[in-house]
Amino acid sequence: MSGTALASRRLEGFLEMLAAERGAARNTQEAYRRDLGDLAGFLAGRGETLDAATEDGLRAYLSHLDAAGMAPRTQARRLSAIRQFHRFLYAEGLRPDDPSTRLDSPRLGRPLPKIVDAGECDALLAAARLRPAPDGPRLVAMVELLYAGGLRVSELVDLPVNAVARDSTTIVVRGKGDRERVVPLAASAVAAVGTYMAVRPAFLPRGARRAQAERWLFPSRGAEARLTRRRVGQLLKELAVQAGLDPARLSPHVLRHAFATHLVDGGADLRSVQRMLGHADIATTQIYTHVADERLTRLVQSHHPLAGRRPRRGEE
């Protein structure tokens, strides 16, 4: 077997491990395949194969990405794929060493998530309620679930028709890695879904796709028989314009960020927010404390009477 063919087989073994042991979704596996395939192409130009890469070869690749102007976060994602692949090879006894252990991570800034405030969320809901049926009730239900439940847009479009029971105050969400979590819902969200259910048949397609569309809480007459993530984003931007907001500031994920930030602002503990968001690592959730801290700093600088006063001589 040629070196290239062997490397390809070992890459497939790595991807199978991600799926079987870590529950990696198909899109995640394809992202790893693309990233490691790009590395393999670069290494081939140096006479190396993916599974027998040297530390110098990997460093040269990372330098190549930096010189090409790749964003630090994208470089970090590529490096993560490289490290995980070589840890797999080493753990499986497929090579005697791990050439990625001494590679340096790119320096990353920590951008804070974009959010909208509670008043802007109220404006979105008010604008949605002004829309006539059936579009209005559907929009209200979508915004309520994204903002009051903190759902990812992929989780929203994957909700089954029976996801929100009439007398229930919780919803079961299937998130990343096919992990399920229970998210409490505000009474307004449950009521919004109930109102939407009365007009939901208007969105069901006719003919052969109707049975497929019946499965979903948000069916569609499109090819997938349910709302797509892209369409949800489009609907929110249209709603933002109607509500007098900048559509560039609004997306499904911005509403998820608002859900988490407003909980932290209200005193919710991070562990509870972590569970509701479905974060595997609490470090991911901790960024919302930084959002709250930054907002408090801006509040003091904008409104405290001493904030704009220059120190007198001797006070420095």
Side-chain angles (χ1 to χ4, degrees), residues 115-292:
I115 61 166
V116 286
D117 62 35
E120 290 170 320
C121 291
D122 287 342
L124 281 174
L125 286 167
R129 292 188 185 103
L130 291 175
R131 293 273 190 97
D135 294 333
R138 183 175 70 171
L139 276 170
V140 174
M142 284 168 41
V143 174
E144 284 277 5
L145 289 172
L146 290 168
Y147 174 53
L151 273 63
R152 301 177 177 95
V153 65
S154 58
E155 296 167 346
L156 179 80
V157 300
D158 280 348
L159 287 174
V161 64
N162 60 351
V164 183
R166 180 174 299 176
D167 298 324
S168 177
T169 57
T170 61
I171 184 172
V172 177
V173 177
R174 190 177 297 276
K176 287 186 176 180
D178 216 29
R179 294 187 295 268
E180 286 190 347
R181 70 182 188 277
V182 177
V183 177
L185 288 180
S188 60
V190 176
V193 173
T195 301
Y196 159 68
M197 289 301 289
V199 300
R200 177 178 168 274
F203 298 102
L204 290 168
R206 296 177 181 177
R209 287 206 311 276
R210 187 179 181 94
Q212 180 186 359
E214 285 280 12
R215 297 176 51 201
W216 309 112
L217 181 60
F218 293 104
S220 164
R221 298 190 187 94
E224 296 187 20
R226 59 176 169 172
L227 276 181
T228 63
R229 291 177 294 179
R230 182 177 181 181
R231 183 57 180 150
V232 172
Q234 291 172 341
L235 289 171
L236 285 180
K237 289 187 181 299
E238 292 171 6
L239 186 61
V241 173
Q242 184 181 343
L245 305 178
D246 180 359
R249 294 181 54 231
L250 193 69
S251 71
H253 217 63
V254 167
L255 291 179
R256 175 173 160 87
H257 288 322
F259 163 80
T261 303
H262 298 167
L263 281 176
V264 172
D265 283 351
D269 67 278
L270 279 182
R271 286 291 179 190
S272 296
V273 177
Q274 177 193 6
R275 287 196 296 272
M276 286 185 279
L277 290 174
H279 286 161
D281 187 345
I282 197 169
T284 308
T285 316
Q286 285 172 334
I287 193 169
Y288 295 106
T289 64
H290 294 279
V291 176

Side-chain angles (χ1 to χ4, degrees), residues 14-145:
F14 169 66
L15 296 175
E16 289 173 6
M17 179 277 293
L18 289 179
E21 297 183 14
R22 303 186 191 175
R26 182 174 300 175
N27 287 346
T28 302
Q29 296 175 54
E30 288 304 314
Y32 276 101
R33 189 192 303 277
R34 286 193 301 270
D35 289 349
L36 292 171
D38 186 69
L39 170 62
F42 176 86
L43 292 172
R46 294 173 51 93
E48 299 180 23
T49 59
L50 182 63
D51 61 331
T54 63
E55 182 178 321
D56 286 345
L58 297 180
R59 288 188 184 279
Y61 175 67
L62 295 174
S63 296
H64 161 72
L65 298 181
D66 190 50
M70 181 173 284
R73 289 194 173 275
T74 308
Q75 292 182 47
R77 191 195 71 206
R78 294 277 179 97
L79 178 56
S80 174
I82 291 168
R83 284 173 171 161
Q84 291 183 64
F85 177 64
H86 285 94
R87 284 174 193 158
F88 164 77
L89 294 179
Y90 181 69
E92 294 293 315
L94 299 176
R95 65 175 292 166
D97 63 342
D98 179 351
S100 69
T101 53
R102 295 194 297 173
L103 299 178
D104 296 324
S105 299
R107 290 190 175 184
L108 301 177
R110 187 166 188 175
L112 297 179
K114 297 177 183 177
I115 61 166
V116 286
D117 62 35
E120 290 170 320
C121 291
D122 287 342
L124 281 174
L125 286 167
R129 292 188 185 103
L130 291 175
R131 293 273 190 97
D135 294 333
R138 183 175 70 171
L139 276 170
V140 174
M142 284 168 41
V143 174
E144 284 277 5
L145 289 172

